[in-house]
Amino acid sequence: MLRRTLPRALSSASSLHGVPLDATSINANVRAAEYAVRGNVLERSMELQRRMAAGEMLPFKKFVPCNIGNPHALLQLPLSFHRDVLALCISPHLANDHPSTFNTDAVERAQKYATDMGGGVGSYTNSQGILAVREEIAAFIAERDGHPAYADRIYLTNGASEGVRMLLTCLLRGGELRDGLLTPIPQYPLYSASLTLLGGTLVPYHLNESGDWGVQMENLAEALATARGNGVEVRGIAVINPGNPTGNILAEGQIKDIIQMAVDNKLVILADEVYQSNIWKEGASFSSFKKVACDMGYNGEDGDERLQLVSFHSTSKGYFGECGLRGGYMELHGIGPEVRAELYKLASLSLCSNTIGQLAMGMMVNPPRPGDPSYQTFEKERGDILSSLRRRSMMVHKALNEMEGITCNKADGALYAFPRIRLSNKAKEAAADKGIPTDEYYCLKILDETGIILVPGSGFGQEEGTLHFRTTFLPSEDTMEETLKILASAHAKFMDDHRD
């Protein structure tokens, strides 16, 4: 019988150096990365949900997940046209089996996508994404901004988050190089977690809470100079507009200042613009970094790399709210063909983003138009969602500011409020005894009392000496009103229980 034996040297090396995958040998960057939106408070809520499911009586009857921008989980209804087209793309026979169910424009759109894909939704697409969808996105950008956009500069991704990670993977060189990214504080923890995973350095620039969370250019310049003075090679700047978690909207003047600073300092701008349809402030409007850059003369054509800008968008927010479909894109501006080719290679490692998400993105940027059979229904559904979100943003702002020790700026945009909470020394000492941040202690107490799931401000970053939490205003209006009353009562109890 033939026996196969390892060479002695290899066998010896394996016994000396074999390392199983466990908590001590896992990549240290993975262990160090934190993502507060799904952190300790959510873990506690899942534990409580298991206990409730097992029959244990808790002080509340239901959970209200205000921790994450997940509209459909909070019963926002999907848009009829978009779901009809997806149904027809997945099951084309439905058009013949139920001809009276679908409007002709939905059938025609599904047939067009089927032709564009060739093999249907179960087939791989081009790694950059379906060309016809990228052309729809380019047309949307050109109509929005009044400047040309090109399909070959657009990459379809599994949500905007994947695009951010792809871009940072190319931007941060790793090794002994200390590459960093200017990141707003507070920030969406995708940025801090991705920087940790990729070995980058987070360079914080603090937004001004007393100035409606605006960007102060002197703070930005100081953060850049300090980082470079400490040996960090700052490669880019992340900007979230409208802001998450802050809800601020950048005026065009602020955008111009940031663009010029990026040009002067050779920084790549990462423009996270996934909330561009969520504008609540009366008279305010959204201006994209791409539009302002082109207005300033930075047209981004090949050979013009004075400004390098990457913009991100998603199907998850706005009035669409299709988080689970994982549709997103990034548009490159002023990024040369060599880098575009490397990004294509990076996209190819996953073969392609999911086809359902790609089609959802196409429909989001190219909805029914006036005169189309589905237009009136689409406009009503879209208008109802946005007007209700506006009312809820005002409801949350008013209720939070009536609670003891809480102040909250208006959410001019996006889907969140980020109130500041002023807690007693007794509360801070109780948190310290448990070894957790004070705002996390507060959120855990509110959860245990009410079932309302909030996110501690420490997970987003905050000015030293301040405490915050983030809440969405995505629950339905009736639920939101009831939730705010319950939160007010629990907050009052917390303040009474922790008086010095």
Side-chain angles (χ1 to χ4, degrees), residues 147-176:
H147 296 283
Y150 306 100
D152 66 344
R153 313 292 173 85
I154 294 165
Y155 294 68
L156 292 169
T157 55
N158 290 308
S161 299
E162 183 179 70
V164 171
R165 288 193 296 269
M166 286 173 62
L167 197 281
L168 288 176
T169 299
C170 290
L171 190 65
L172 302 171
R173 294 169 293 178
E176 295 182 1

Side-chain angles (χ1 to χ4, degrees), residues 106-165:
V107 175
E108 290 166 0
R109 179 71 69 89
Q111 290 172 341
K112 180 183 184 305
Y113 283 150
T115 300
D116 295 332
M117 287 185 292
V121 295
S123 303
Y124 290 134
T125 71
N126 179 288
S127 294
Q128 200 167 335
I130 300 166
L131 176 59
V133 172
R134 287 186 281 126
E135 289 173 340
E136 288 181 301
I137 294 169
F140 158 77
I141 294 170
E143 181 180 350
R144 181 195 67 190
D145 295 342
H147 296 283
Y150 306 100
D152 66 344
R153 313 292 173 85
I154 294 165
Y155 294 68
L156 292 169
T157 55
N158 290 308
S161 299
E162 183 179 70
V164 171
R165 288 193 296 269

Side-chain angles (χ1 to χ4, degrees), residues 29 56 125 200 211 221 264-265:
N29 289 346
E56 182 176 340
T125 71
D264 294 342
N265 290 278

Side-chain angles (χ1 to χ4, degrees), residues 306-365:
R306 294 172 295 164
L307 171 69
Q308 295 188 303
L309 164 68
V310 184
S311 304
F312 305 92
H313 201 5
S314 168
T315 62
S316 298
K317 311 305 177 185
Y319 54 86
F320 205 58
E322 294 276 16
C323 301
L325 299 186
R326 307 311 298 137
Y329 75 77
M330 61 179 175
E331 183 198 18
L332 310 184
H333 183 82
I335 306 292
E338 297 86 356
V339 175
R340 296 203 300 269
E342 296 296 334
L343 278 164
Y344 185 88
K345 178 179 70 178
L346 195 56
S348 299
L349 297 179
S350 300
L351 297 173
C352 69
S353 61
N354 81 89
T355 53
I356 300 299
Q358 292 188 45
L359 297 178
M361 179 54 72
M363 286 180 281
M364 191 186 85
V365 299

